[in-house]
Amino acid sequence: MKRVKYLLFVFLLRTFFGFGQESKITFGGKVGVNFSQYTPDLEMIWSILLKLSIQTRLFFWAYTNFPVNNKFKLRLELFYSLQGTSRVADNVNVVDAIGSTVGVIREFRTNINESTLQLPLIVQHQFVEKIFLEGEIQVGLYI
């Protein structure tokens, strides 16, 4: 494992400093809207127990391209996304510890929110003009 980390470090160091004067490093990014909904709704014998609805959230994406040589490129990306759903339950029975009904909530609303951070590393090999073969390693985290 230490050997792999060392080789990756040397490779990246060579990419940054060895080709820094003769290559063009490009940067970019996006901001967008994410419409998310978890599915399916919870149903039981012709009755919907839990209705899930759409939430509108944002996502952010940034990348940088490092040409290694004429045929190989490295692309580092950062993707941050907010996702989720709204949950609505009608006529929820509230019971105490011994099982007696305390009351009924007509409409119970709550939100489920999730933030994800993804860090892909993409290696591109160019066979001919504008045709690439890509390989990707990706790490994702829930925040």
Side-chain angles (χ1 to χ4, degrees), residues 14 22 47 74-75 91 96 107 118-119 128 134 136:
R14 177 165 165 75
E22 60 189 60
S47 176
L74 281 178
R75 182 181 182 113
N91 299 325
D96 60 9
E107 187 175 87
Q118 298 175 15
L119 303 166
V128 294
E134 294 184 350
E136 178 178 327

Side-chain angles (χ1 to χ4, degrees), residues 3 8 52-53 68 79 109 113-115:
R3 184 178 209 161
L8 181 62
L52 300 173
S53 60
V68 177
F79 185 76
R109 292 182 174 269
N113 296 312
E114 178 180 279
S115 297

Side-chain angles (χ1 to χ4, degrees), residues 56-124:
T56 305
R57 297 285 188 224
L58 293 176
F59 73 87
F60 307 97
W61 177 71
Y63 76 91
T64 183
N65 257 342
F66 298 99
V68 177
N69 59 29
N70 292 338
K71 297 287 184 182
F72 283 98
K73 291 182 183 178
L74 281 178
R75 182 181 182 113
L76 299 171
E77 296 183 355
L78 173 71
F79 185 76
Y80 178 73
S81 177
L82 297 168
Q83 306 173 89
T85 190
S86 295
R87 181 171 71 173
V88 179
D90 293 325
N91 299 325
V92 177
N93 289 327
V94 180
V95 294
D96 60 9
I98 59 173
S100 301
T101 300
V102 177
V104 175
I105 300 174
R106 296 277 180 214
E107 187 175 87
F108 178 72
R109 292 182 174 269
T110 187
N111 291 326
I112 301 169
N113 296 312
E114 178 180 279
S115 297
T116 59
L117 180 67
Q118 298 175 15
L119 303 166
L121 171 64
I122 301 167
V123 177
Q124 297 177 336

